[in-house]
Amino acid sequence: MKTAEIRRRFLDHFTSAGHTLVPSASLVYNDPTLLFVNAGMVPFKAYFTGQEEPPFDKATSCQKCVRTLDIEEVGKTTRHGTFFQMNGNFSFRDYFKEGAITHAWNLVTGSVASGGLGFDGDKVWVTVLGPGYHPDFPDGDAEAVELWKFMGLPDERIQRRDLKDNYWNMGIPGPGGPCSEIYIDRGPVYGPDGGPVVDEDRFLEIWNLVFMQQELSAVRAKDDFDVLRPLPRPRIDTGMGLERVAYLMQGKDNMYEIDQIFPVIEKASELSGKRYGDNAEDDIRMRVVADHVRSGLMLMTDGVTPGNEARGYVLRRLLRRSVRAMRLLGVQDPVLPELLPVSKGLMEESYPEVTEQWQRVSDSAYAEEESFRRTLAAGTKIFDTAVAAAKKAGASTLPGDQAFELHDTFGFPIDLTLEMASEAGLSVDRDEFTRLMGEQRARAKADARAKKGGAVNTEAYRELRAAGETPFLGFTDLSVASTVRGIVRDGEIVSCARPGDVVELVLNETPFYAESGGQDADAGVVTASGLHLEVLDVQRPVQGLVVHKVLVNEGELAAGAQVLAEVDAAARLGACQAHTATHIVNAALRQMLGQGTHQAGSYNKPGYLRFDFNAHGGLSVGQKSELEGIVNEAVRDNYRVTDRELPLDDAKALGAQAMFGEKYGNVVRMVELNGAWSRELCGGTHVSSTAQIGLVNLLGEGSVGSGIRRVEALVSGDAFDRFASERALVSTLADTLKTQPDQLVDRVERLLAQLKAAEKEIAGLRTQQLLAGVGELVASARTVGGYRLIAQALPGVPGNDLRTLALDLRTRLGSEPGVVALIGGESKPVVIVATTQAARALGAKAGQLVGAAAPALGGRGGGKDDLAQGGGSDASGAPAALAAIEAALAG
């Protein structure tokens, strides 16, 4: 049974049982604690924690996931993969343990003809929480045991385990509960009998049923936590590993051989000439290739681009490990153009967006491979230098810190270092390398824990949210009479606040826009008789609740008070102008660069906008001018700006643009400019027609990461002010240069040409002057340690002239062992040393002599034996530097 068919059967089973089908969220999800979605429940987390009320009683999904903590194990085990798919069913207000267990048993053991998966019930084992591990469950999860027995499982195939194995929590305060895991016995060929407690390779876990029924107040470890109280409503969260089920149902030994992955292995085998199954090391490399190519494809489809930080770095590592593995298989030519299309063909049935985004994805991937090939070329030079140094020192081992530097700084893979070192007759200090890698991982894990532990305590907000959402009235009203629902200080609800206090204020309704979608929060005031609050920021810490950060300037603020909330109208207009202009920039870029161009981030506030987008090269001067022209033409044409709410699928069918990783409900707000000219899903505020923007002035365009460009612009009055200042500057220059503004460019170009000619003439005269004094310099030569030494300080002489002079002096020293050492420079000192062939034969090396002199100048330097250069920052050290050279020759 193909993987896509298993996925379909799972979803059909639950949708036919009344579950709402929820499409997979983007791997790039709006969760600050995660780089990527790493579990099927992540898109539902806000429902489980109580931050949001679920819009359905029960749901099902097949969620794309990426985990990279065990990346080094990929290919070595049967089940470690970086990308995987998690089938799940979730109940929020419907069934609990009995329903979850019944559904799981019926689907797992149901006949294929009836839509089930057809596993033999006699090969099914389960685990549950055992007795004595938790005070709330003194008998363990006895209820789950009885339910499994009712399904027909004998007691000997229901194994009891501890909290580490059969209790689930998020690792932070929030929901938790016992779980029950379902295993399939693969048979004695895979290991000893005795169930999962004996061998989890033979008994393979395919499904985990989590019974959320407690709220945890502290979590110190998976088996060490404090329970605050029972959940008011128990909930179900399950996860079935699609790839694991696939390789069981397809009769394969591991996940890499299933139908969605193995064809990439076959292609890697074809390209390398290595047959899969002949050699264990080669097999691991092919499995790494197949896994990483698929993961890279899915990440790029969801908007990730290769880079040096966070998500981009993970993607870069996956792609480069693929290329590296193929290199170790003997393939030197580009491989991603051969491998990536194979993976695309395998995944597009389940995920049509792979085809929709293919042009952008393939362009990004192939450019990354070319970049890595250049990195490999540069890394090889550094490696060769390290090998030469080790051999010169008589060492048989390449130091671990050098291997780590190659890996960490230059992106040079360790296994490639090992292979090349072996070819050079050296080993690598793996212990030291492993130690340094361990330190790096420890730092990364500590950072991840810090981010995870930094989750905001939302208890106070959730309590205030229980009274209902905060209606946002700001689309139509900038002044609203409201009631103070609550006041929060340092995460706690308080009854009042006094002058000088900065607190968070929740109103029953508000005109203030909370920062989101790239738009800055509104400014303004909240007032009442004798009360004046300045609004500093507006956020939504939990879904549906608007929280105003305010400074109490006057009076006492109390819960329940009647107030007037007033948005700063001028600032709001500026924000509307900038936000609508951002939409125009997006549409203009897509018009210029193609529909594969997509938004990668934005920020707008009164008078300013920035817009990030995917591209592999910068805009030319002509394209920047074209972009500014298209944008301002749309402003002048006074396009009507409208918005409407409609189902998400309908909006997508109309071509509405959505942000990768942004979470959208079933009904969305679509903002349109001139109908179909621009359609975006957006919750922000806008002008009613584009002419209200007035003017957009492009500040610039540049790179903000691999494959990501940024446009910045000023809007409205700020744009006019900049044009005015530029006009004043042009007028001043024209007056200074005695020309007309439209002739300014020609005038400046002529001046530059004249200046360049004058500089060339001056340089020629300076060189003639220096060479005229060569005779005196040659006459100043002294014998030091068997060498004829010319050593002079020539302050103010530029480095290029100094080099020319040194070479001329060396020639004049003829065949005798001679050394020329000159120190000059303009703003900073420069030292140049040249040696004759006879001097080098006696052991004088220019690079070493520069190395001896440069520290006295406050710098460093080096070079070849015949000619070397160095520099520094302290010209007063010139006498000491020359003395150091003399001492080196005398010694």
Side-chain angles (χ1 to χ4, degrees), residues 721-738:
D721 289 345
R722 183 168 186 260
F723 277 128
S725 64
E726 289 175 344
R727 182 177 61 188
L729 176 62
V730 169
S731 178
T732 300
L733 287 173
D735 289 344
T736 301
L737 296 176
K738 310 299 184 188

Side-chain angles (χ1 to χ4, degrees), residues 665-877:
N666 293 327
V667 176
V668 295
R669 179 172 181 258
M670 182 174 71
V671 175
E672 297 177 292
L673 278 65
N674 197 33
W677 192 83
S678 167
R679 285 185 172 132
E680 292 191 40
L681 303 186
C682 179
T685 63
H686 292 273
V687 294
S688 59
S689 61
T690 58
Q692 291 177 274
I693 296 171
L695 188 64
V696 178
N697 184 342
L698 185 65
L699 290 173
E701 182 270 348
S703 173
V704 290
S706 178
I708 301 294
R709 309 292 297 183
R710 171 172 292 173
V711 166
E712 294 182 274
L714 296 178
V715 180
S716 190
D718 294 72
F720 178 82
D721 289 345
R722 183 168 186 260
F723 277 128
S725 64
E726 289 175 344
R727 182 177 61 188
L729 176 62
V730 169
S731 178
T732 300
L733 287 173
D735 289 344
T736 301
L737 296 176
K738 310 299 184 188
T739 189
Q740 295 298 315
D742 59 351
Q743 299 173 359
L744 194 56
V745 173
D746 290 340
R747 178 71 171 127
V748 170
E749 287 178 347
R750 287 199 304 272
L751 284 174
L752 288 174
Q754 292 169 6
L755 179 61
K756 187 174 182 179
E759 287 175 342
K760 185 175 181 180
E761 182 179 354
I762 291 169
L765 292 171
R766 189 166 53 204
T767 299
Q768 291 176 19
Q769 184 180 12
L770 285 171
L771 295 178
V774 163
E776 294 181 13
L777 290 172
V778 172
S780 71
R782 297 175 291 116
T783 300
V784 177
Y787 301 95
R788 294 290 289 167
L789 172 64
I790 300 174
Q792 289 288 333
L794 302 171
V797 176
N800 287 338
D801 292 346
L802 209 63
R803 179 184 288 263
T804 300
L805 182 59
L807 293 174
D808 185 70
L809 289 171
R810 183 177 66 181
T811 300
R812 292 174 184 265
L813 289 174
S815 60
E816 57 183 321
V819 175
V820 178
L822 304 177
I823 296 179
E826 295 174 294
S827 59
K828 293 183 178 180
V830 176
V831 55
I832 292 182
V833 175
T835 59
T836 63
Q837 184 175 352
R840 294 193 292 277
L842 291 178
K845 298 180 179 180
Q848 291 181 354
L849 293 174
V850 166
L857 300 172
R860 59 183 182 178
K864 298 181 179 179
D865 292 347
D866 62 332
L867 183 67
Q869 180 174 328
S873 57
D874 184 9
S876 67

Side-chain angles (χ1 to χ4, degrees), residues 23-37 42-44 52 63-64 298-305 311 353 357 360 516-518 543 598-601 648 652 657-665 681:
S24 174
S26 167
L27 287 164
V28 184
Y29 195 66
N30 187 20
D31 186 329
T33 68
L34 297 173
L35 275 181
F36 306 111
V37 170
V42 168
F44 303 94
E52 299 180 29
Q63 175 60 47
K64 299 176 287 187
M298 301 309 292
L299 285 171
M300 288 185 289
T301 295
D302 279 356
V304 183
T305 55
R311 297 181 176 108
E353 61 266 30
Q357 302 294 329
R360 175 184 59 79
S516 63
Q543 183 67 25
H598 68 83
Q599 181 176 347
L648 176 60
K652 287 183 175 180
Q657 298 301 302
M659 268 288 291
F660 281 111
E662 193 68 29
K663 182 178 179 181
Y664 298 102
L681 303 186

Side-chain angles (χ1 to χ4, degrees), residues 876-887:
S876 67
L882 293 174
I885 292 174
E886 185 172 340

Side-chain angles (χ1 to χ4, degrees), residues 96-98 101 140-148 213:
F96 192 46
K97 288 183 188 179
E98 181 179 359
I101 289 174
D141 196 349
E143 181 185 2
V145 171
E146 292 305 314
L147 288 167
W148 282 119
Q213 55 192 99

Side-chain angles (χ1 to χ4, degrees), residues 178-191:
C179 58
S180 184
E181 296 169 324
I182 303 173
Y183 294 78
I184 302 296
D185 181 2
R186 303 169 70 196
V189 69
Y190 291 99

